Amino acid sequence: MSQPLNISSIVPIDKISSYQVYLKDAVVVFDGFKALDIEEFGVYYNELRVIIGPNGAGKTTLCDVISGKTSLTSGRVYVGGLDIIQAGDVEIAGMGVGRKFQTPTVFDSLTVWENMDLALPRAKSVFPNLWLKETNEEKKRITAILERVRLADEIGVQAQYLSHGQRQWLALSMLILAEPKLLLVDEPAAGLTDKETEITAELLLELKGQHTIIVIEHDMEFVRRLNSYVTVMNEGKLLAEGRLDELRQNDEVVKAYLGRS
Amino acid sequence: MKNQEPMTFDENELLRVFRKKTTLGVLVFFFVVIPFLGWFGLIDVTNINKLGRYLCFAIVALGIDLLWGYTGLLSLCQALFFCLGGYAMAMHLSLPEGGGNVRPEYHNIPQFFFFNNVDTLPGWWTHFSSLSFALVMAILIPTIVASLFGFTVFRSRVKGVYFSIITQAVAWGAFLLFCRNEMLLGGTNGLTNFDPAFHRDFGWVLFFYLITVSTLVLLFLGAKYISGSRLGRLLVAVRDKEMLLNFMAYRPQSIKLFAFTTAAIFAGTGGVLYVPQNGIITPNIMRVEDSIWMIIWVALGGRGRLWGAMAGALLVNYAYSITTSDMPKTWPFLEGGMFMAVVLFFPSGLVGLWDRFEQNVASGTRVSGILLAMAVGFTALLVDKSNWGLYVPYHLTALIACVTMSFLVIRSLNPSGIVLATITFFFGVEALGLMPETMRITWIGVPLKYYILFIILVGAGVLSHIGVFRQALRKYYEPATEH
Amino acid sequence: MFLVSKNSTVFSLLILLCLLSSMTSYAMTESLQQTLINLGDPDKNIRQQSYGTLMKEGDATIIPVLEAFISGLLENRSGLLVIYGPRVQVEKGRREYPLLDAFTGKPVLDPTGRPIYTENLSSSMIRANRTERVTVLDLIKILSLSHFDTEKRIAAIVAAGDRSDATLAPILQKQLQANLEKRISDALAESLAAIRITHGSKSEKLQAARFLGETGSARGALPLRHALANKTDNDAEIMIAVQDALTKIDRYQKLIGFIQDLFSGLSLGSILVLMALGLAVIFGLMGVINMAHGEFMMLGAFTAYVVSEIFKRYLPPGIFNYYFLCAVPAAFLISALAGLFCEWALIRHLYGRPLETLLATWGLSLVLIQSVRVLFGDTLSLTPPEWFVGSWEVSTDLVFPINRLFIIIFCALCTLLFYMIVQKTKLGLLLRSTVQDRETSSSLGVPTRRVDGLTFALGTGLAGLAGCVIPLYDKINPSMGQGYVVDSFMVVVLGGLGKLAGVIIGGVGLGFLTKFIEPFLQAVYGKALVLGMIIVFLQWRPAGLFPSKGRLVDE
């Protein structure tokens, strides 16, 4: 790990513009506890990046910062070249950042179809939604995605009656449907069977190269399947970055996962 | 808060037809039957007036359902918006141009001005001599107040419960203000001295009744449209997981503001129609208690289903008017008990009961028996009111009707149907003032009719569990078969 | 000031003794008695004479007779002079006049020894005509100055000063030199000064003005203002002195007005704090909106009433005052037990559904109010223990009623006790842990169900404590809780749910705010304004003064 040089508040322009997501000296402190402490983190446009790390490493906090749910205590964060330090979650979402949460978050009282309908990247203000209906084109898109995740038969079922795996997929489908420029996917494989995990990996791989995707995962098999650059976090800091095989040889990474021996 | 919304994708054909018939029946009943019966004097004018007033409440309930049932915001100041609309109309009605009863000794302006040492009508009052101005104001004022208030409150992302507490404070504050004489709105006595014909003459009463029903139908269609649109789904989304909407680039604040303002407009409209039929408006119906009272209509009727809100409004108000005249001391216990019971045991309200009934319909059970029974019983009581009672012994007719009804009802053996039939019959009869005298005999302070009602409801409850009892008994007698 | 020489100390002591003796024994000399009977004599001359005698020999003991005389409540019943006392309720629906002996003040007894009551006034009441009435009134005014009842005496002295009655000045002067107790002396000095301002010589005026300025009493300002307005003398020196005195009084009054407001605000706020604490426990810790909180407070108040009735009826009167010592724990217990029951029967089914609990507890409140109404009727009042009657006059015009003072101290103690329990005891630890993380606590063996019940009971018990002090200064009725509930919720919302300090600051702050705004706007507008300010404040800090960082924030 390179040692940090003196902390500079001036960030070189080329860094900001070449990365879709860029953090510098980002620190988040909750009640005296340092949840995040990253000197530098960047994800290129249309890259698929995986973030792994033991529990409490700060992975979700990182997502929170990027999506606007949590604000930095100090440091800078840029998304799509824009400084988002003042932006709220709604504005950031409007900029094309989509997120799937750790626990699959869907609208329980609405049906699968209605959930998907709300995820469409259309008018988000109040009055237009009074008369807008899905176009045929949009209907096709929704059906296509739902068929991939095998929810096409459940379109009339309220989301609360879906199984855990189905909810995961619904949340992921909603994310994909919204076609954001940046996808933040938090534990997409949690609670899924092997077969389901496979399909999820396929879905993500299909999007690779067209959208920037940041995936947080624990399932190493899933990570392997994604075959991408991996960032390891521990205790709020970046521990290491590289391909999965290299990291497996890295002593520090191993120690972080197994704890101090 | 898990509401059963209608399964729009797998509708049973039988159910569709049934629903169409019911809706048609209801419309015919309100638009044709009631005026008809009233015209022939079979229903007293006061009862039509009462129905008209309660239908105004149904309008308010629609708004509350959109705000609470769909969006999940519990507002405790709906009564305030109701009164804002009502006061605007009342101001017009208390002026001579609106038929107000003014006298020369009070300078030909509403009396309370005189007692406040004001001789001429203040500038802002004079505009209300025009009906159109009053109507516009009646809608505009609640809209503006709701928008301003909602904008400031929702902007700071106040959470659900805090929101309720704040609306409570606003309602209370407004109540205190309206009670002041300096406001020149009649103080604690309110505005009154309207043309008495509005709530006494059959012509006027019928007129307002019909206008109210029509408005209700229109607003119901409007609300249905909203709830069926994408915006309607957004409302539900706000209730379910507001946070997720943020991350989908929606602005929940705007959605909530829309819902809040719409509910305020509905409430104001209800107020406008209510005032001429009521003859008076005072600050005493804009308090927190009154708002909570409105909430219970929707809670009992069933949240998240528009017709449930309307039915709840009618049902609860009739229950109130019947019980307070019969057992005034007991009413608060019933009211409190109702709150607790609905929340604990019947969260889906009346609508839940109807849903079960509909399931029976969908599975093909004959409900015609029940409907026929209701018709027979109803007619029997009508006989009392018209003068053919002289030729046909009343009690005999009533007895025959009850026996027939029981037979038909038990034949279909449909507990939820029985309950529904009984409730409708009971309240319908009472509401139209057709309950026979014998039912008023009391035993320990409670009239006979309530005992009969209670017995029927318990009987239905038992019936619905007979299957369970039989199974339990079977287990007791044949334990070996389980293994 | 007016000095009293040493020589007159002995003399004044003697007069004091005479006065005292006449005060304690309500016994009149025979000649006086006869003179009083003569008041009703048909012969005008005898009547005139009697006035003269009364003026010379009369003392404070004849005042009741004279007052009855001018009110037409005096009767000569064959030689016995009786006064018709104020009507009392003899039995249900009947109110009658008790007959009192004019000379002794004791009730007149019939041959069997029971007091006599009559329904109506008799036709042979002794009546006074107009001029006689005026004379007697004057006489009463003079005699009242040495009334044996201190309150009435002071009232008469004050009235003399307010009227600037110069004729009474010498009597006042004489009494002042008698060096009586402080309250009487102060009243005398003030009245004398008031009289001197209008009627005295220049030096007397100057001295009086200075004196009134020093005391700072508001009553003293009146004659000063009169003097200024009337400009009876054009003497500049006097005018300056008067002006000076007025400025001093104004400043003083403003100061004590401020302190008084502070005090009232504190007293109102302390009750709110106690209520809000209970509510914060229930809402903040458990996420339950308890709309029936005011009713638990009302239960505490009615418990105090019941305890006081028990003491009144079944226990010796000597220990009546101690009922309060029993009422406090009783109120806490009853409210806590009621809360425990309600939690078990109703609330526990509704956790995690705050809007439902709002409705259910509203229903509960209706049931509670009506039950109490059916059992106890409507408004009731309580006799507070003697210890709390009266007030503490810190300095001129600055009075702190003792009951309010007690309430402040009581609420502060309760708050402290509560804090100690929650922070320092094991129960408090269990409570806090269950609220912060239910599952972990439960897996550690904490009986979470029971803790829930106890927490709710603690909250309602606090409300009961708040309730049992309210009867000390106000009447109670079944719906009294409704007036406090909205304010308490406001305090909780304002103070935030994080720290105890938030509730305390919020409650006291709200109390202050309400009391300070009251003089400028009327109570109603003040309330509305305060509510408006809170809403504005919440814009700036939506989670209150001390936001909670616990899980409840995310609901």
Side-chain angles (χ1 to χ4, degrees), chain B residues 1 68 72-74 76 149 152-153 155-156 158-162 164-166 168-170 172-173 176-177 180 182-183 288-289 292 295 299 303 328-330 332-333 335-337 339-340 343-344 347, chain C residues 283 289 291 345-346 349-350 353-360 362-364 366-367 370-371 374 482-483 485-487 489-490 492-493 496-497 522 524-525 527-528 531 535 538-539 542-543 553-555:
Chain B
M1 272 203 254
W68 183 41
L73 288 171
L74 186 66
L76 297 181
F149 175 69
T152 36
V153 169
R155 206 168 59 98
S156 48
V158 169
K159 288 291 181 191
V161 158
Y162 280 121
S164 305
I165 294 176
I166 294 180
Q168 181 191 42
V170 168
W172 195 53
L176 293 175
L177 280 177
R180 303 293 301 177
E182 300 91 74
M183 293 278 287
V288 173
E289 294 102 309
I292 297 192
I295 302 285
R303 278 171 275 163
K329 276 229 178 90
T330 331
F333 290 112
E335 191 187 349
F339 271 92
M340 295 192 275
V343 165
L344 284 176
Chain C
F283 177 46
I289 307 267
M291 296 292 274
L346 181 68
H349 305 283
L350 300 170
R353 296 152 65 184
L355 297 180
E356 261 84 347
T357 48
L358 195 152
L359 290 179
W362 178 261
L364 179 66
L366 292 174
V367 168
Q370 190 66 3
S371 317
V374 162
Q482 312 266 305
V485 144
V486 176
D487 280 338
F489 270 113
M490 282 282 109
V492 171
V493 164
L497 302 169
Q522 299 191 299
V524 164
Y525 295 120
K527 248 294 131 62
L531 291 173
I535 294 180
L538 283 176
Q539 294 296 300
V553 172
D554 299 323
E555 222 166 315

Side-chain angles (χ1 to χ4, degrees), chain A residues 67 69 89-91 93 101 105-109 114 117-119 122 124 126 129-131 160-161, chain B residues 2 4-5 157 225 229-231 233-234 237 239-241 243-251 254:
Chain A
S67 62
K69 188 158 184 268
D89 39 15
V90 180
E91 282 110 42
F101 292 88
T105 313
V106 294
F107 299 117
D108 290 314
S109 310
E114 288 167 348
D117 177 49
L118 288 182
R122 287 143 91 242
K124 304 285 186 177
V126 171
N129 279 305
L130 205 45
W131 51 78
Q160 58 182 312
Y161 297 125
Chain B
K2 306 211 191 279
Q4 309 279 84
E5 289 189 59
R157 298 206 182 175
Y225 179 76
S229 74
R230 207 152 170 255
L231 186 56
R233 291 180 215 144
L234 280 174
R239 185 187 77 204
D240 277 345
K241 281 241 171 46
M243 180 193 64
L244 180 57
L245 281 177
N246 282 318
F247 293 104
M248 287 164 72
Y250 289 100
R251 292 208 103 88
S254 320

Side-chain angles (χ1 to χ4, degrees), chain B residues 372-383 394 398 401-402 405 425 429:
Chain B
L372 192 62
M374 284 163 64
V376 169
F378 203 77
T379 321
L381 287 161
L382 266 179
V383 165
Y394 173 69
C402 285
M405 198 171 80
F425 189 59
V429 161

Side-chain angles (χ1 to χ4, degrees), chain C residues 28-58:
Chain C
M28 276 188 223
T29 59
E30 277 233 9
S31 64
L32 262 182
Q33 291 183 354
Q34 187 53 48
T35 325
L36 285 170
I37 295 181
N38 285 346
L39 283 176
D41 205 291
D43 187 344
K44 195 166 157 205
N45 289 326
I46 299 186
R47 288 209 301 271
Q48 286 295 106
Q49 235 181 15
S50 46
Y51 291 132
T53 327
L54 289 175
M55 206 140 341
K56 270 191 262 147
E57 299 173 21

Side-chain angles (χ1 to χ4, degrees), chain B residues 381 384-385 394 425-427 429-430 432-440 449:
Chain B
L381 287 161
D384 176 45
K385 275 293 160 168
Y394 173 69
F425 189 59
F426 181 82
F427 283 102
V429 161
E430 265 288 352
L432 299 172
L434 298 169
M435 186 66 79
E437 279 303 315
T438 28
M439 289 296 206
R440 286 184 227 256
K449 49 190 168 172

Side-chain angles (χ1 to χ4, degrees), chain B residues 50-299:
Chain B
K50 195 190 272 192
L51 184 58
R53 281 186 285 126
Y54 289 170
L55 287 171
C56 294
F57 291 150
I59 296 179
V60 180
L62 274 180
I64 295 179
D65 199 18
L66 279 178
L67 182 61
W68 183 41
Y70 282 82
T71 324
L73 288 171
L74 186 66
S75 155
L76 297 181
C77 62
Q78 290 306 107
L80 172 62
F81 294 123
F82 180 78
C83 287
L84 285 177
Y87 262 90
M89 188 62 167
M91 285 169 78
H92 173 71
L93 291 179
S94 51
L95 291 175
E97 292 84 350
N101 182 11
V102 294
R103 300 202 211 135
E105 58 259 38
Y106 298 124
H107 308 289
N108 283 326
I109 54 175
Q111 282 182 27
F112 70 90
F113 280 114
F114 180 75
F115 297 114
N116 277 331
N117 297 323
V118 175
D119 284 342
T120 47
L121 211 57
W124 53 283
W125 259 85
T126 49
H127 299 299
F128 282 89
S129 46
S130 138
L131 178 64
S132 25
F133 181 81
L135 285 174
V136 166
M137 277 294 133
I139 305 298
L140 206 60
I141 295 178
T143 314
I144 294 179
V145 171
S147 314
L148 281 174
F149 175 69
F151 180 73
T152 36
V153 169
F154 294 133
R155 206 168 59 98
S156 48
R157 298 206 182 175
V158 169
K159 288 291 181 191
V161 158
Y162 280 121
F163 169 72
S164 305
I165 294 176
I166 294 180
T167 55
Q168 181 191 42
V170 168
W172 195 53
F175 167 69
L176 293 175
L177 280 177
F178 269 77
C179 282
R180 303 293 301 177
N181 287 324
E182 300 91 74
M183 293 278 287
L184 293 178
L185 284 170
T188 44
N189 292 326
L191 298 176
T192 179
N193 287 330
F194 312 143
D195 190 347
F198 291 149
H199 60 97
R200 289 210 203 125
D201 276 5
F202 178 73
W204 277 111
V205 167
L206 190 66
F207 170 70
F208 282 115
Y209 164 77
L210 286 172
I211 292 227
T212 312
V213 186
S214 319
T215 317
L216 179 64
V217 170
L218 277 170
L219 287 177
F220 171 75
L221 290 172
K224 204 158 155 60
Y225 179 76
I226 294 177
S227 64
S229 74
R230 207 152 170 255
L231 186 56
R233 291 180 215 144
L234 280 174
L235 294 179
V236 174
V238 166
R239 185 187 77 204
D240 277 345
K241 281 241 171 46
E242 188 183 327
M243 180 193 64
L244 180 57
L245 281 177
N246 282 318
F247 293 104
M248 287 164 72
Y250 289 100
R251 292 208 103 88
Q253 292 98 282
S254 320
I255 301 174
K256 290 198 264 192
L257 182 61
F258 172 80
F260 189 61
T261 313
T262 311
I265 296 177
F266 274 63
T269 314
V272 166
L273 294 167
Y274 181 78
V275 162
Q277 302 186 66
N278 196 41
I280 183 174
I281 186 165
T282 67
N284 284 323
I285 46 173
M286 66 164 68
R287 295 168 305 175
V288 173
E289 294 102 309
D290 303 287
S291 292
I292 297 192
W293 178 235
M294 291 175 173
I295 302 285
I296 199 65
W297 306 337
V298 177

